[in-house]
Amino acid sequence: MPLPDRTEVFICGAGPAGLALAVGLQQRGVPHLLCDRLAEGQNTSRAAVVHARTLERLETLGISNRLVAQGNPIPTFAVCEGETRRLTVDLSTLETAYPYGLIIPQDRTEAILRERLAELGGAVNWSHEVVGIARGEDGATVSVRQKDGTIQEVAARFVIGTDGFHSAVREAAQIPFHHGTYPESFILGDVEGHWPLPPDVIQLYLHPEGLMVVVPFSPRHLRIVATCDQAPEHPSLDDLSAIATARGPSGVRLERLVWSSRFRIHHGVAERYREGPFLLAGDAAHVHSPAGGQGMNTGIQDSVRLAELLAEAIRDGRLEALDAYERERRPVAEGVVAMTDRMTRLAALNGPMGRGLRSLVLRAVGASSTMRHGIARQIAELDS
């Protein structure tokens, strides 16, 4: 089916941020198009946790209960060195209806968002790749290559970039994005097997060779994320077993590899979130370390708020309503980038002096209930 020649909002990218924006707009009756160059949603998953603030915001879209029904609520975050737990952060004391991190694969989160979008009468236009964006006097024109190779032009009042770190929308808007890159590469794997510690704790392990995060989807299904000097292109079960055995507790036994990947992590925030008819959300606007699991969460929250503001601006003809978006959301991203950078660099401290400094920091935090509660609120993004 050809796309319409004109729409109010063109959304580029049907990941979690793009889907949440489309659901919010569809719910408010705002005409939009959601396009993605992929043929279908991905069936692999990098993000694994949905935090309390995200669940609170998704209540307005009718999605939170569905996520909770299919996820694994984990109330505890622990920092460990081998067998020793150095710091415990209790999320169960948070002032929210969701006092936990909800462990659910990103592909399930996306599927639930797509199901809700379909219920409301919306859809994703798969195999539609944005190949050109030109700003005009009253919005922008987006050139889209369809599955059969034909190019169609769509006029849009607003074009939203939810198209990731290498954002075509951000490039078209000429919005600077100054960022750094961590020297280590990251290895990621979903595995089945035996982990000899309680299944209701997200565990961050510190080790001279690098950090490792272990997230339980269920007692025998785990997500492992770890830093490596040079991660293999296709991490094997043996690769993950070696890391888990070296950095984790004794008694680890990994039996089956479900999926694995490697990646490098950038950290930074776009200089601005709007340029005329162009707006950014999700990884197009901010990227950061996976420590704390905030990436997808911050992007979804961006989109829920942006849907509200776009609907207000279009309904009332008040474009200044969109000024609130950057004012509210960019400081949140800056805070997340700063926090996750501190966590990543603290975990990476090495040598006797570095490890000694880290032990002092963890001991000080562990001794202060106020500091532990503050970290819990930061992880849950309840101050955003």
Side-chain angles (χ1 to χ4, degrees):
M1 293 289 293
L3 299 174
D5 294 333
R6 178 174 295 277
T7 187
E8 290 286 344
V9 181
F10 188 102
I11 307 168
C12 181
L19 288 165
L21 178 58
V23 173
L25 294 175
Q26 187 73 22
Q27 198 173 51
R28 292 169 175 82
V30 177
H32 67 276
L33 289 173
L34 173 59
C35 292
D36 197 292
R37 63 181 178 81
L38 297 177
E40 60 181 359
Q42 298 190 50
N43 59 6
T44 55
S45 176
R46 283 193 181 178
V49 58
V50 180
H51 288 303
R53 176 63 81 206
T54 308
L55 290 167
E56 290 178 351
R57 298 296 286 139
L58 286 174
E59 284 181 354
T60 63
L61 305 185
I63 288 168
S64 298
N65 289 342
R66 305 180 194 204
L67 288 170
V68 172
Q70 297 189 37
N72 179 25
I74 299 292
T76 308
F77 180 85
V79 179
C80 310
E81 287 185 290
E83 308 284 349
T84 306
R85 186 181 292 189
R86 298 296 187 190
L87 174 66
T88 299
V89 177
D90 184 5
L91 305 178
S92 69
T93 62
L94 294 172
E95 305 84 0
T96 175
Y98 309 100
Y100 45 73
L102 184 71
I103 308 305
I104 182 170
Q106 181 178 325
D107 56 333
R108 279 306 310 149
T109 299
E110 292 184 13
I112 290 169
L113 285 163
R114 288 196 301 269
E115 290 163 7
R116 179 59 176 150
L117 181 60
E119 286 178 2
L120 295 168
V124 181
N125 296 285
W126 298 112
S127 299
H128 283 68
E129 181 182 6
V130 172
V131 294
I133 306 172
R135 182 171 179 175
E137 292 184 4
D138 187 26
T141 299
V142 183
S143 299
V144 184
R145 179 187 290 123
Q146 302 180 90
K147 188 174 184 179
D148 62 3
T150 60
I151 305 293
Q152 181 177 352
E153 292 189 345
V154 178
R157 191 170 179 187
F158 299 101
V159 178
I160 316 301
T162 54
D163 49 346
F165 176 63
H166 301 287
S167 171
V169 176
R170 192 181 66 234
E171 182 177 343
Q174 298 183 326
I175 297 175
F177 194 122
H178 303 296
H179 66 277
T181 304
Y182 293 108
E184 306 89 357
S185 55
F186 285 77
I187 186 172
L188 180 155
D190 286 355
V191 297
E192 293 177 353
H194 172 69
W195 197 268
L197 291 178
D200 60 347
V201 182
I202 300 171
Q203 299 152 27
L204 169 62
Y205 287 89
L206 308 175
H207 189 271
E209 295 178 5
L211 67 86
M212 176 177 69
V213 179
V214 179
V215 179
F217 289 116
S218 66
R220 289 185 55 80
H221 182 190
L222 306 167
R223 158 70 53 81
I224 295 175
V225 183
T227 56
C228 299
D229 289 336
Q230 290 297 327
E233 184 177 358
H234 301 289
S236 67
L237 183 64
D238 288 343
D239 294 326
L240 288 159
S241 292
I243 290 172
T245 300
R247 304 182 192 182
S250 59
V252 172
R253 188 174 67 255
L254 305 185
E255 299 167 355
R256 189 174 82 89
L257 177 64
V258 179
W259 175 69
S260 69
S261 180
R262 72 171 181 182
F263 55 99
R264 287 195 176 274
I265 292 296
H266 309 279
H267 52 96
V269 183
E271 192 170 287
R272 52 190 180 276
Y273 278 19
R274 181 186 174 204
E275 180 64 39
F278 304 115
L279 295 107
L280 307 177
D283 287 355
H286 46 77
V287 290
H288 37 80
S289 165
Q294 262 93 10
M296 179 183 72
N297 286 269
T298 309
I300 289 175
Q301 293 171 41
D302 289 343
S303 291
V304 174
R305 182 57 176 144
L306 182 55
E308 296 169 346
L309 293 169
L310 280 167
E312 179 182 344
I314 292 169
R315 181 188 65 236
D316 300 337
R318 294 179 54 253
L319 297 187
E320 61 270 20
L322 292 172
D323 295 340
Y325 176 58
E326 179 178 323
R327 186 170 63 246
E328 295 174 12
R329 297 303 307 166
R330 193 172 184 277
V332 172
E334 290 178 319
V336 169
V337 169
M339 182 191 73
T340 57
D341 185 60
R342 286 194 298 269
M343 292 173 65
T344 302
R345 296 187 186 282
L346 180 67
L349 288 175
N350 229 325
M353 289 186 63
R355 291 195 294 272
L357 174 61
R358 185 171 62 209
S359 295
L360 287 173
V361 171
L362 293 175
R363 194 176 302 124
V365 174
S368 170
S369 60
T370 300
M371 292 179 71
R372 293 197 308 275
H373 189 70
I375 291 172
R377 288 189 62 84
Q378 280 189 304
I379 290 173
E381 298 193 39
L382 287 178
D383 295 322
S384 64

